[in-house]
Amino acid sequence: MAVDANFSTLWCSSEQATKIAFALLNSSWSKCYLEIISAIMGGGALKVEASHIRKLLFPQYSADQLQLLSVYADQLLQVKQTTQELQDKIDTVVVAPFENGTEILNEIRILLNRKLLERGGKNDES
């Protein structure tokens, strides 16, 4: 991943809210969403602006689901990388409010991989 001098800062109301936001932003849901709404720059870089982040929508989560996201954010911070196991845990919570969450998650991952390949990025299966 390459990052230039343009950064977006997220301000949260609590440490737990910050962790939840961190987990949500590392979900396949967010990655796919941003692949769709953000601009592709030369060389295949994805230009994600603050306005794109503000457009992210999520379903409503229960207190237990939010707590799990906070725990998974702690794990992400501890290992400093997203393992497939941790990605699966986060993604499962993100789609949990839907009756057909597993099906939705499969479709999200297919679309995310397609979008990554279209812009020349590394897909999750590489």
Side-chain angles (χ1 to χ4, degrees), residues 85-97:
E85 178 185 5
L86 195 47
Q87 186 72 64
D88 291 343
K89 288 178 180 179
I90 292 168
D91 289 347
T92 298
V93 175
V94 169
V95 298

Side-chain angles (χ1 to χ4, degrees), residues 4-68:
D4 69 9
N6 297 317
F7 292 96
S8 294
T9 302
L10 303 176
W11 297 96
C12 297
S13 59
S14 68
E15 184 178 345
Q16 184 178 23
T18 302
K19 290 176 183 179
I20 292 165
F22 184 64
L24 288 171
L25 287 171
N26 278 281
S27 69
S28 293
W29 176 288
S30 293
K31 294 173 188 176
C32 186
Y33 212 124
L34 292 171
E35 285 288 339
I36 292 168
I37 66 173
S38 299
I40 299 173
M41 298 173 56
L46 191 64
K47 183 176 183 181
V48 179
E49 298 183 7
S51 62
H52 298 130
I53 295 169
R54 282 192 292 271
K55 290 178 183 178
L56 285 171
L57 298 174
F58 297 95
Q60 188 165 345
Y61 298 107
S62 69
D64 289 342
Q65 290 164 337
L66 293 172
Q67 180 59 36
L68 279 174

Side-chain angles (χ1 to χ4, degrees), residues 62-115:
S62 69
D64 289 342
Q65 290 164 337
L66 293 172
Q67 180 59 36
L68 279 174
L69 288 170
S70 180
V71 167
Y72 298 151
D74 280 332
Q75 292 175 13
L76 268 175
L77 292 167
Q78 184 177 11
V79 298
K80 296 180 176 49
Q81 66 180 3
T82 306
T83 63
Q84 188 59 54
E85 178 185 5
L86 195 47
Q87 186 72 64
D88 291 343
K89 288 178 180 179
I90 292 168
D91 289 347
T92 298
V93 175
V94 169
V95 298
F98 300 103
E99 275 186 36
N100 57 341
T102 302
E103 182 180 323
I104 290 170
L105 180 54
N106 289 336
E107 292 298 320
I108 288 170
R109 287 179 171 173
I110 289 168
L111 180 56
L112 174 58
N113 283 327
R114 189 174 79 215
K115 297 301 285 182

